[in-house]
Amino acid sequence: MSGPTLKPLPLTRERFLPFGDVIEASGTQRQRMNEARFERFDDLCGVNVGADGRVCISVARCRSATKLPYRFDVVERHPLGSQAFVPLAPARFVVVVAPPGESVELADLQAFVTNGRQGVNYQRGTWHMPLIAFEAGQEFLVIDRAGDLPNCDEHVLDESVLLLEP
Amino acid sequence: MSGPTLKPLPLTRERFLPFGDVIEASGTQRQRMNEARFERFDDLCGVNVGADGRVCISVARCRSATKLPYRFDVVERHPLGSQAFVPLAPARFVVVVAPPGESVELADLQAFVTNGRQGVNYQRGTWHMPLIAFEAGQEFLVIDRAGDLPNCDEHVLDESVLLLEP
């Protein structure tokens, strides 16, 4: 089969900067808390829900696992707010993203694989493949926006893309 | 040894209502998402950071485990915002809370033990024992308030309390 393919790269904060934040307990901004029984890795992502939205905390549970290689042809964006996914048990997952913008071209897409303990926060407007997981039952905490206005745009790609194993 | 003791009860949404929310994937408010590959348990807690605060996402990692029975004599509250703790790998933990109010009496304290998959969200002003965990290395996602104003009041109890095994 021909056509465009994407091979996920290991996720790092630097690589993900155009798209949002990596949520992980690393780096130097740690503080002690509770008489030093804990260390706190503080303020790991930008939550943006706009003036007319509110922060919404949810759990997404995988009902149907996705295997790689996986073919997709739709990406979506949330024009009014950020959206974060944090695994509730260590598990690698793969994301596909393109920078915020009115349109998205195949050449803009990038794929990343997490290290199993990372979460991601898509900044407002970042195009992304709808979430997939490798095992049924996997759960993610979702931090996004609730509000009255429509907040999901879908875009059908010019060609379907084959997402490869990392 | 004499003195007040507290025995944790299993955490349920109903029992925790005076103190905040239980964050768990259960109940009937689930929706399908991403072509039904996921189910989403939506809007599980009230995030409140006030008009002059912003939502802050952090990770707290346990450096020093706590064993029960455990004696404590301080509770704290965050007068300006809610604070949520969600375990990033399945793990039971114990919380001690008292309802929001100017003062807190020993008789107001209640202890709960989670089922290993639950998180908690303290509503604004809920008195609580500082977080403890049973294993070093355990991580919690923290969703609370960042801002310029002081947002932590401590209260020393009249007597220390012995927190018992559930």
Side-chain angles (χ1 to χ4, degrees), chain B residues 79-161:
Chain B
L80 301 182
S82 58
Q83 185 178 47
F85 295 96
V86 181
L88 291 178
R92 295 165 82 220
F93 65 106
V94 167
V95 298
V96 177
V97 287
E102 273 316 295
S103 69
V104 52
E105 305 299 326
L106 288 170
D108 300 327
L109 295 173
Q110 292 193 47
F112 298 103
V113 58
T114 69
N115 66 11
R117 303 191 72 86
Q118 295 165 319
V120 297
N121 182 52
Y122 300 130
Q123 63 174 284
R124 185 166 64 87
T126 287
W127 292 101
H128 54 278
M129 178 185 70
L131 185 68
I132 60 173
F134 297 141
E135 302 285 347
Q138 283 183 354
E139 292 182 347
F140 295 81
L141 197 71
V142 186
I143 303 157
D144 62 2
R145 176 188 181 280
D148 293 330
L149 299 173
N151 186 27
C152 189
D153 298 332
E154 277 194 1
H155 176 83
V156 179
L157 299 168
D158 293 336
E159 290 181 80
S160 71
V161 175

Side-chain angles (χ1 to χ4, degrees), chain A residues 23-26 30 32-45 47 54-66 70 74 76 83 85-90 117 129-133 137-146, chain B residues 23-26 30 32-45 47 54-66 70 74 76 83 85-90 117 129-133 137-146:
Chain A
I23 299 171
E24 62 185 333
S26 73
R30 68 186 69 180
R32 300 290 172 87
M33 60 177 265
N34 295 4
E35 297 155 11
R37 284 196 306 270
F38 283 81
E39 53 188 346
R40 179 170 164 147
F41 301 82
D42 218 18
D43 212 359
L44 299 173
C45 70
V47 177
R54 62 183 177 80
V55 175
C56 178
I57 308 291
S58 308
V59 170
R61 179 188 291 158
C62 180
R63 302 175 67 237
S64 172
T66 297
Y70 167 68
V74 171
E76 64 183 34
Q83 184 177 48
F85 294 96
V86 182
L88 291 179
R117 303 191 72 86
M129 179 184 69
L131 184 68
I132 60 173
Q138 282 182 355
E139 291 183 346
F140 295 81
L141 197 72
V142 186
I143 303 157
D144 63 2
R145 177 189 180 279
Chain B
I23 299 171
E24 61 184 335
S26 73
R30 67 186 71 178
R32 300 290 172 86
M33 61 177 264
N34 295 3
E35 298 155 10
R37 283 196 306 271
F38 282 82
E39 52 188 347
R40 179 170 164 146
F41 301 82
D42 218 19
D43 212 0
L44 299 173
C45 69
V47 177
R54 61 182 178 81
V55 175
C56 179
I57 307 291
S58 308
V59 171
R61 180 188 291 157
C62 179
R63 302 175 68 237
S64 172
T66 298
Y70 168 67
V74 171
E76 65 183 34
Q83 185 178 47
F85 295 96
V86 181
L88 291 178
R117 303 191 72 86
M129 178 185 70
L131 185 68
I132 60 173
Q138 283 183 354
E139 292 182 347
F140 295 81
L141 197 71
V142 186
I143 303 157
D144 62 2
R145 176 188 181 280

